[in-house]
Amino acid sequence: MREYSNYIGGEWTPAATGQTFESRNPATGETVATVARSGREDVDRAVKVAREAYAKWRKYPVPKRGEILYKVGALLIERKEEIACLMTQEMGKVLAEARGDVQEGIDMAFYVAGEGRRMFGVTTPSEMPDKFQMAVRDPIGVVAAVTPWNFPLAIPTWKLMPAILAGNTVVFKPASDTPSVAAELVRVFEDAGLPPGVLNFVTGGGQEVGDALINHPDVDVISFTGSTETGARVVSKTAGKNKKISLELGGKNAIMVMEDADLDLAVEGILWSGYGTTGQRCTAASRLIVHEEVERPLTEKLLARIEKLKLGDGLLPDTDVGPVINARQRDRIHEYAEIGKAEGAQLLIGGEIPKGDGLDKGSFYAPTLFGGVKPDMRIAQEEIFGPVVSMITVRGLEEAIQVNNATKYGLSSSIYTQNVHRAFQAMRDVTTGILYINAGTIGAEVHLPFGGTRGTGNGHREGAVWTALDVFTEWKSIYVDYSGRLQRAQIDEFEHGA
Ligand code: UN1
C-alpha cells in the first residue's frame, strides 16, 4: 500500500503527531494510501520554511523559474498513465477523464513555463520630460493553495504554477479525498529540481490543517477552490486579516436547447456535461433549459441514451459513469432527488442508489433526469454535484437566457442553436464567466480565464496566465526621473516645443 507524508523544506516528513489517515477507492471501498494527518504544528513549520525560501526565490530569474516548469511538464508526460490510474482509483473518474485531468496539468506546465519569458509589465509615457515610468509585477509572499478532489491534478496546477512562476512560495493543502494524486504532483516538482521550501505540502483535515493555514499571519494569499459554504468560511474566518483571497466556488450551469438546435448534437453535449465525471465538475450541466417545441423529442432521445450509461469502476474500459467521491456525497445527492420529487418535479429516470453488479461496494448514484422543473425549485437552484439534471421548459430565447442567469451562481452556460442571431444574443446577454455555443458546459482550455460571476467566486479568474498572475502578483508602479531637477506632477507646466 502507498504511504505519503508531508513535504516541508524539501524533506518528506510525517505529521508531528505521527498520526495518519487513509484515502479510499470510491468504486471498491479499498484503501488507496495512508497519509499524514497533520495539525497546526506542521502548518506552522511549512509556512515558516516557505517564508524563509521566499527571500531567495523572489530574486531567482523568472525565465529560470519557467525552465523548472518545462521539466515539470516533461515529467508529467512520462508519468501521465501512472498518475491517471492512481487518480481513477482514488477519485473515481473514468480513466479517459483522469488522463485528461493530467493532460490539463501538462498543458498548464508548458503554458506557464513560456510565460517565464514574458510576464509583461507596462510602460507608458510620462506627462513630464526626462521621466520614464513603468509598472511591473511583484510576487506577494507565501501562498496557501487549498484544492478540491474533483480535479486532483489540474486544479492544483492552476494555482501552484503561476504562483511559483511569479516568485511566491507555496503551502499546498489538497482535499482529504485525493491526497495521493497531490503527493505525486509534489514529487514531480521535486524531481524537476524545484529548490527546497518553494513548494510545501501538508495533508489533513479542513478544521486542523485548512483553518490553521488560512489564518496563519504569515500567509499572504489564499487561493481556494471548493464548496460555496467553505469559501464563505474562508472569507469570514480571515476577515480583517488583510489577505488576498481568490475563490472558485459552486455552479448551477445550464444548457439551453433552442427550437432550431441540432438535437443529436445537443444530446451528446448534455450526456457529456451532465453525467461526465459523474456530474462532479463545477462546470457540470445540472440544468437543461429547453424550448417547448423540442422538449418531447429531446427527452426521448436523452432517455434512450441515459438508460444505456454503464456505471462501474472507472478502470474498466466499458464504464461510462464512475462512482461519486464518497458515501456522504452519494447520500446528499440522493437527498436532492427526494427533494426534487417532493417539490413536484417529475423523475424521468434514475433517482436511486443502484444495487448489484458489484456496485454495493462503492458509492454510486444512478444518472438522474427530472422533467417539469420550475426555475425556482431547489433542484434548479442549488448545487448538487452529482449526476442529476433538471429540465426546465421555456417558450423562447429571452426566457431561456433569463432562467439561465437567475441563480446565485455564474460559472458556465451553453446554448445549442443553429441561428447566428440567437447565438450572438446569448453571447451578449448571458452573465456567466464561461459560455459555449453548440458545445456542453465543460471543457475549458487552460489559456482562457476560468471562473464565474456572482456566488461562483470573488471576481478572480484562474487558467489564463494574465488573469492568474493578477491573483499571485501585486503591481508596482515605478517612476524614473532623469531630468536632474525637481519636477512636480500635476503642477509644472511646459512650453510647447521647448
Ligand atoms: C471544474 O469543473 O472543477 O472545463 C474544473 C472543464 C475542465 C475544468 C473543470 N477543464 O470542465
Side-chain angles (χ1 to χ4, degrees):
M1 211 221 319
R2 290 166 183 271
E3 277 177 35
Y4 295 101
S5 48
N6 292 329
Y7 181 72
I8 300 175
E11 303 282 340
W12 292 92
T13 36
T17 58
Q19 290 183 349
T20 59
F21 69 98
E22 291 182 347
S23 85
R24 287 181 186 278
N25 183 330
T28 63
E30 284 159 358
T31 302
V32 175
T34 304
V35 294
R37 182 188 291 280
S38 316
R40 173 175 304 275
E41 217 177 300
D42 305 288
V43 170
D44 285 349
R45 217 158 59 76
V47 175
K48 185 164 178 282
V49 164
R51 174 59 60 191
E52 283 161 10
Y54 175 62
K56 260 186 152 173
W57 185 243
R58 63 178 278 270
K59 294 189 192 152
Y60 192 66
V62 187
K64 297 288 164 194
R65 296 180 203 146
E67 283 170 21
I68 297 174
L69 292 182
Y70 280 118
K71 290 201 192 119
V72 168
L75 285 173
L76 282 172
I77 290 175
E78 266 176 37
R79 299 179 195 175
K80 178 173 174 180
E81 195 60 20
E82 185 196 322
I83 297 178
C85 286
L86 175 63
M87 186 186 299
T88 295
Q89 286 169 293
E90 188 165 60
M91 181 274 167
K93 65 173 76 176
V94 297
L95 190 53
E97 290 189 34
R99 290 188 185 116
D101 192 321
V102 181
Q103 185 58 45
E104 198 157 343
I106 295 168
D107 296 344
M108 194 68 188
F110 290 119
Y111 172 52
V112 179
E115 188 64 15
R117 289 192 184 268
R118 282 185 295 269
M119 210 162 103
F120 295 137
V122 175
T123 64
T124 183
S126 167
E127 62 190 53
M128 315 272 198
D130 303 326
K131 191 176 167 195
F132 176 84
Q133 52 200 31
M134 62 186 161
V136 297
R137 288 188 185 275
D138 259 2
I140 304 178
V142 177
V143 172
V146 184
T147 60
W149 46 262
N150 69 333
F151 274 78
L153 190 122
I155 291 181
T157 67
W158 296 356
K159 301 182 190 304
L160 306 186
M161 289 176 179
I164 288 172
L165 184 89
N168 304 283
T169 55
V170 178
V171 179
F172 170 27
K173 183 233 171 292
S176 296
D177 285 301
T178 50
S180 309
V181 175
E184 289 298 336
L185 176 63
V186 171
R187 195 171 272 173
V188 166
F189 277 94
E190 179 187 30
D191 294 346
L194 190 72
V198 175
L199 173 61
N200 305 279
F201 174 69
V202 183
T203 53
Q207 307 279 327
E208 302 79 26
V209 175
D211 282 4
L213 183 58
I214 62 170
N215 280 307
H216 197 292
D218 237 1
V219 164
D220 305 288
V221 182
I222 301 167
S223 178
F224 170 79
T225 300
S227 73
T228 300
E229 300 82 68
T230 312
R233 279 214 352 250
V234 170
V235 171
S236 63
K237 292 208 163 182
T238 57
K241 296 191 175 148
N242 209 22
K243 295 179 189 293
K244 188 166 180 184
I245 300 176
S246 167
L247 301 173
E248 272 302 321
L249 311 173
K252 193 67 194 175
N253 316 296
I255 294 180
M256 298 176 271
V257 183
M258 292 299 103
E259 67 272 38
D260 62 84
D262 174 339
L263 292 188
D264 292 318
L265 185 67
V267 165
E268 297 299 335
I270 295 162
L271 290 170
W272 176 227
S273 307
Y275 306 113
T277 330
T278 325
Q280 301 170 109
R281 296 194 189 208
C282 348
T283 49
S286 60
R287 293 182 301 154
L288 203 50
I289 301 171
V290 183
H291 193 285
E292 58 184 0
E293 280 176 26
V294 291
E295 189 207 325
R296 254 188 99 138
L298 183 72
T299 308
E300 279 166 19
K301 282 172 189 283
L302 263 178
L303 289 174
R305 291 289 297 279
I306 295 171
E307 67 181 24
K308 291 209 184 77
L309 290 175
K310 180 149 175 30
L311 268 78
D313 186 329
L315 285 181
L316 302 175
D318 60 343
T319 297
D320 297 307
V321 179
V324 297
I325 188 68
N326 54 39
R328 189 166 28 89
Q329 189 60 20
R330 177 201 58 203
D331 294 345
R332 186 171 172 269
I333 295 166
H334 190 56
E335 256 172 54
Y336 269 107
E338 295 297 321
I339 290 169
K341 285 194 270 182
E343 284 179 307
Q346 198 189 344
L347 179 64
L348 299 174
I349 193 166
E352 60 186 7
I353 296 169
K355 301 259 181 297
D357 288 342
L359 299 179
D360 311 73
K361 287 182 289 174
S363 303
F364 289 89
Y365 201 75
T368 299
L369 180 66
F370 276 104
V373 177
K374 299 280 168 269
D376 56 354
M377 286 181 180
R378 286 184 62 192
I379 56 166
Q381 287 292 330
E382 297 174 19
E383 186 176 51
I384 300 174
F385 226 65
V388 178
V389 178
S390 299
M391 187 157 61
I392 299 163
T393 309
V394 291
R395 285 172 299 276
L397 178 63
E398 290 205 358
E399 187 184 348
I401 293 175
Q402 189 272 325
V403 169
N404 178 73
N405 291 345
T407 77
K408 69 173 178 179
Y409 299 110
L411 184 52
S412 183
S413 314
S414 137
I415 183 165
Y416 281 87
T417 177
Q418 301 191 72
N419 179 314
V420 70
H421 301 267
R422 294 198 177 112
F424 270 85
Q425 199 173 324
M427 283 152 66
R428 185 192 60 201
D429 294 338
V430 162
T431 56
T432 53
I434 301 171
L435 168 65
Y436 292 88
I437 312 292
N438 289 327
T441 53
I442 68 177
E445 300 177 25
V446 295
H447 52 302
L448 275 185
F450 183 93
T453 59
R454 296 186 282 276
T456 291
N458 62 342
H460 294 290
R461 292 290 185 274
E462 303 199 295
V465 79
W466 75 95
T467 56
L469 286 176
D470 282 341
V471 172
F472 299 114
T473 62
E474 295 278 15
W475 283 106
K476 184 194 279 170
S477 298
I478 302 174
Y479 300 90
V480 185
D481 191 320
Y482 56 97
S483 70
R485 58 186 183 273
L486 174 68
Q487 299 203 88
R488 299 174 303 170
Q490 295 92 35
I491 294 172
D492 290 350
E493 306 234 344
F494 299 94
E495 278 181 31
H496 178 252

